[in-house]
Amino acid sequence: MGLLNDLGAKGTAPWLDFVDRKFLEAGGLEKLVAEDGLTGVTSNPAIFEKAMGYGDAYDATLAAYDAAHPGAATIDRYEHLAIQDIKAAADTLRPVYDRTDAKDGYVSLEVSPYIADDTDATIAEAQKLWAAVDRPNLMIKIPGTPAGAPAIAATVAAGINVNVTLLFSLEAYQRVAEAHVAGLEQRAAQGLPIDRIAGVASFFVSRIDAVMDKAIDTRVAEGDPQAEALKALRGKVAIANAKAAYAWYQDFIASDRWQALAAKGAQPQRLLWASTGTKDPAYPDTLYVDALIGPDTVNTMPPKTMDAFRERGVVADTLTADLDGARRVLAEAERLGLDLDGVTQRLVEDGVAQFVKAFDDLLGAIAKKHPGA
C-alpha cells in the first residue's frame, strides 16, 4: 500500500498542507486519498497567496463574481474564491469523513490573521466561515494566542470543529487543550451532542530548530566554551518539545475530566505536527515525520515532504520512544541558556506577522485583478 498508508496505520494521519484550484480540478487530491490514504488538508494565508496571487486559475471565477457583485470588497472576493476551494476539498474528503464516523476527513480554513488578538471577532468570523462553507468536515483554524483560547472554547461549544494553529510551546498547547475541553463541557451541560466534534492542536516543529540552530551556530562561531554541548543539541530541541507535548496529551486523556467526556462519545483533540518540512539541508527531508509517529496524531506535510516520505520515510513507533532522552535535551537546552520559552513566544508573534503579510500580499494581488484596474 505504501509508506503513507503505513504511517496512517500507526496512528499518524497523513494530511496535505496545500490547496490549489488546478490541483483540485486535476484530481490531485482525489488521487492522494485513493493511493496514499490521505485523510485531510490544511490551508493558510500563505498557501492561498501563492495559489491565487499568481497565474490565471482563479480569473474566470473572480470575473464572474465581480460581474454579479460590482464594487465588492477585496476581502469578500478572496473569501468567495477560498470557500469554493475549501468546499471542493471537503467534498473530496467526505467519503473519508463518513468512513471514519467523523474522526477524520477534514479540510481547514483559517480566520483572518488580522483578528488574532480579538476574541469576539474571531468567534464571529469562525461562525461566518462555518456557515458559508456548510460542510460538516470543515475545521476552522484559530491561532493559539491568549485571545484565541476563549474563542476556541466558544467555537467548540457552538458545535464547530477547530484546528488550533501556531502552537510552539507546551504551555500554549495546554491552554488550548483545556479550552477545547471547556467547549465540549459547556455543550454537554446543555444536553447537546459532542460525539461528532473533532479538533486538532497544530504544534509547529521545524521553525523551532531553525531558530535554535541559528543561536547555537552563532555561539559556537563566537568560541563559546560550551560549544560541544551546544552542537549536540542541533536538530533535537523541536522533536524533544513535541514529544513532551504528546506525553502531556497522554496524561490528559487519561484524566477523570477527559474520561467523563469520552463516556459521552467525545473525540480527543489530536496533536497535529505542522511545519514539518526541514529547513536545514543537512537533515533528512523526512526528519519531522519519521520522528513523530504515534497514535491519535496528524502530520500535515507540504507536497515536497509528502513526496519524500512516500519514497524513503521510515515508519516506526517513534513518538513515545526515549521520552527520558527528550526530557534531557530540554533540560540541557535550559542549562545552556537557549531560552526555549522566549523562542516559542517570538515564533508565535512572527507566525501571526507572516500570515498578516501573506494576507496583505494576497489581497493586493486580488485587488490588481479587478476589471479595469
Side-chain angles (χ1 to χ4, degrees):
M1 290 287 288
L3 289 172
L4 287 160
N5 285 279
D6 293 344
L7 181 68
K10 284 288 188 183
T12 297
W15 285 15
L16 180 68
D17 192 26
F18 175 77
V19 65
D20 174 275
R21 182 155 300 183
K22 285 187 175 179
F23 170 74
L24 293 170
E25 290 177 345
L29 179 58
E30 196 171 13
K31 184 173 187 286
L32 290 175
V33 171
E35 296 181 4
D36 290 315
L38 186 85
T39 58
V41 170
T42 48
S43 67
N44 62 48
I47 289 172
F48 275 126
E49 190 267 331
K50 290 181 177 68
M52 296 177 188
Y54 305 95
D56 58 3
Y58 295 84
D59 289 358
T61 302
L62 188 58
Y65 180 81
D66 289 341
H69 304 85
T74 303
I75 185 73
D76 294 330
R77 301 167 77 220
Y78 151 71
E79 286 184 0
H80 177 71
L81 298 177
I83 286 167
Q84 284 196 336
D85 282 1
I86 295 299
K87 283 182 174 180
D91 290 344
T92 299
L93 288 163
R94 183 60 187 265
V96 177
Y97 174 84
D98 292 338
R99 186 183 73 244
T100 61
D101 197 24
K103 292 179 175 57
D104 215 329
Y106 290 91
V107 58
S108 298
L109 177 62
E110 189 145 1
V111 298
S112 166
Y114 297 149
I115 56 174
D117 295 320
D118 188 328
T119 299
D120 291 340
T122 297
I123 294 168
E125 180 149 334
Q127 292 175 341
K128 181 187 78 169
L129 293 175
W130 175 258
V133 174
D134 193 25
R135 299 292 190 275
N137 56 329
L138 172 69
M139 281 188 176
I140 300 296
K141 289 180 80 172
I142 297 175
T145 57
I152 291 156
T155 303
V156 170
I160 298 172
N161 310 306
V162 174
N163 174 342
V164 185
T165 188
L166 289 177
L167 296 174
F168 295 91
S169 72
L170 177 58
E171 180 185 5
Y173 164 53
Q174 291 168 337
R175 181 172 63 239
V176 302
E178 289 173 358
H180 179 87
V181 165
L184 291 175
E185 289 171 336
Q186 182 181 335
R187 192 170 171 80
Q190 296 170 347
L192 297 170
I194 59 174
D195 58 315
R196 297 181 75 79
I197 299 174
V200 295
S202 294
F203 206 84
F204 282 53
V205 189
S206 67
R207 293 187 196 181
I208 291 175
D209 276 344
V211 175
M212 284 290 185
D213 289 356
K214 184 177 180 181
I216 288 169
D217 292 346
T218 297
R219 286 175 58 178
V220 169
E222 291 172 349
D224 192 297
Q226 300 278 358
E228 292 307 311
L230 286 163
K231 285 191 287 185
L233 294 181
R234 284 190 101 262
K236 293 181 179 177
V237 177
I239 290 169
N241 193 45
K243 287 188 172 189
Y246 187 73
W248 184 87
Y249 160 82
Q250 288 183 302
D251 289 341
F252 189 56
I253 62 169
S255 68
D256 291 343
R257 184 183 183 189
W258 174 255
Q259 288 301 315
L261 290 168
K264 297 175 183 177
Q267 302 179 35
Q269 180 196 47
R270 291 178 293 172
L271 269 162
L272 177 151
W273 312 121
S275 181
T276 55
T278 53
K279 312 294 187 192
D280 189 330
Y283 298 152
D285 48 7
T286 61
L287 175 65
Y288 300 113
V289 186
D290 296 345
L292 299 172
I293 301 172
D296 292 331
T297 59
V298 177
N299 196 305
T300 187
M301 298 170 244
K304 279 187 178 180
T305 303
M306 184 166 284
D307 290 344
F309 190 85
R310 184 189 297 109
E311 181 181 323
R312 53 186 172 275
V314 179
V315 178
D317 295 310
T318 51
L319 189 51
T320 56
D322 195 18
L323 182 58
D324 288 342
R327 287 174 173 146
R328 284 194 296 272
V329 166
L330 295 175
E332 184 72 346
E334 183 177 2
R335 182 185 75 83
L336 292 168
L338 287 172
D339 189 21
L340 179 59
D341 290 342
V343 166
T344 56
Q345 179 58 42
R346 289 195 301 276
L347 283 169
V348 174
E349 296 164 1
D350 290 349
V352 172
Q354 286 170 17
F355 282 168
V356 165
K357 183 184 183 304
F359 214 56
D360 286 344
D361 292 344
L362 166 60
L363 296 181
I366 292 173
K368 287 179 183 176
K369 293 190 174 187
H370 193 284

